[in-house]
Amino acid sequence: MTKTVRRSAGSPKAGAGGFRSSSRYRTYVKYRFVFGFLVVPFGLYAVFVISPFVQTFYYSFTDWSGLSSDFKMVGFDNFTRLMDDERFWAAVRNNLILALAVPLVTLSLGLFFAFMINIGGRSRRGEAVTGVAGAKAYKILYFFPQALSIAVIAALWGYIFTPGIGVLEAVLPSSLSPENGWLGERRFALFAVMIVMCWAMVGFFVVLFSAAIGQIPKEINESALLDGASRARTFFSITLPLIRDTVQTGWVYMGIMALGAESFAVVNIITIGPGGPDDSTQVLGVYLWQTGFTQAQAGRGAAMGVCLFILTMLLAVAALSLGRRRDRIEY
Amino acid sequence: MTTAEPTDTPRAAEAPTAGDPKAKKPSSPLLKPERSIEGTVLNVFSHGFLILWAVLAAGPLLWALMTAFKPSASILESPWGLPDGLHWENWSNAWSNANIGRYTLNSFVIVIFSVPLTMLFGSMAAYVLARFDFRGSRIVYFTFVGGMAFPVVMALVPLFFVMKNLALLDTRHGLIMVYIAYSMPFTIFFMTTFFRTLPSSVAEAAEIDGASHSRIFFQVMLPMAKPGLISVGIFNFLGHWNQYVLPFALNQGDEDDYVLTQGIGFLFAQAGYRADYGRLFAGLMMAALPILIVYAIFQRQVQAGLTAGAVK
């Protein structure tokens, strides 16, 4: 490195002041440094993240099988064919249910627990605003599932749902424990997937919302307490509006997980097929992989990828505009 | 009903006397007892709920731990019963015969490279984006950070062929590179914010002393960014260790090369016809326990690391 500096500094040195102290040299050094530091991270990112994403859009208009290198453009054929594909619509429907119900349940539980753990306890030990007794232990315990891999969680719940060895049939009335277990029954299979996903994620939101609640100045909660606000009132009038941004971010994050990676892992590992029985748990991610890879219809799989992308964007836009903050409290 | 009659009267008689001293206080006398009743009902309800979820969170793990010590036959006989002894053979069986040891080692080898390299490349890019003004810096930043909004699953099929064409399919270094690339958005997002908050006076002093840009980065800024690096490092460690989708698609070669998450999925798929449940639960616990123990020790840092980026 020192060599190049000397060489480049050599020739224009005859000019006034010398090149090394000129501002042009400083700019050159700056750009060399900026480029040097960006080239590896951006190169990796471009090859493995950007290029596949762009290719998804391109291949969605082709009839590429994925096996050979020849294919031709077919316009919107892949998309029009998807419109008649019942399995595709089952996947979209299940994905939508997952993307709405799972965040709703997970975030509500997370909010409730975070509130109770941080400011739900009342007038203990002289402090005005505290969490319930044992708050610390709850926080650690609730977070346990989040430290585990979704594969481990899925497999664990897979056993819980398995008739014969699982604990589920021992707890539930027989009308809710079908002979083949929840995963073998159309009515229950998607519920089973939802339970696994919620169970896996609640702990994360308890911690996330706890951090957000921790940023609310104590005085605000204290004054609410002095004014005699009930817990429910405190929650809806103070806590929730003040951590709204975090809730929103959480909703988008959870929605993306429910549409993509998380549902893919759970459905892929524990359901019959995967995606069964009778497509009752089919999701876009899994169907996309089956079509594009196992059935060698890469173009059609890519079209599903585009649909998944559109769904994700719609969800993000909806979540961000619905929860837009109308009142802002400075703190 | 009959027993309720006599007890009712003394309570009614007591009520005004109990309320009396309170009524003397200046604050509204009627509200107080009412609120405390509402308070207790809420208390019982909320505490019940908190405890219920604690049981739900820990229960399945305890059940799996218990089951991991039972011989397979007794698992099917009494899924609820306590084990009649500690059957460690399940664990050794899972470690060697079910390849859990091998899968753990594979995961370990990948993570030991992918996490430090992610941190290095991520903070290099973040440092440049946070502290240097150059043409196109905003575009580069948003290209990186925008990646957080895309579902990984959507590009899986093209990604498979990118890897295939580069001869990186089913290789460890290929998987490491992909892990690094997919961790860039969050790492850069987080570290850029972090580098922006660091005081610039120290870096300026070093510059006046004649330190080069890269020297300032490695010897001044990076050590100063240690708290941020630890937070994102933990996040990336958990993310890489627990990654399922990427290895599922890109590491399908030899069964011996599976990472832990794939191994668990594979074991689960075999559960039906092998029926060696003791071994499977032991395998599951082997994958879960080390992470849980590490988490229990470092839970403060883990929680801080996971939330640091999302909460302003």
Side-chain angles (χ1 to χ4, degrees), chain A residues 152-170:
Chain A
V152 171
I153 291 172
L156 175 59
W157 278 90
Y159 294 127
I160 292 175
F161 292 125
T162 305
I165 62 158
V167 288
L168 205 63
E169 26 175 42

Side-chain angles (χ1 to χ4, degrees), chain B residues 42 104 158 202:
Chain B
L42 259 180
T104 310
V202 184

Side-chain angles (χ1 to χ4, degrees), chain A residues 231-265:
Chain A
R231 264 193 280 222
R233 183 70 201 256
T234 315
F235 176 77
F236 285 108
S237 305
I238 294 175
T239 314
L240 192 58
L242 285 178
I243 64 167
R244 195 130 130 208
D245 287 347
T246 311
V247 177
Q248 233 176 37
T249 318
W251 190 289
V252 175
Y253 172 67
M254 188 73 225
I256 293 174
M257 297 290 280
L259 284 173
E262 193 106 346
S263 64
F264 180 90

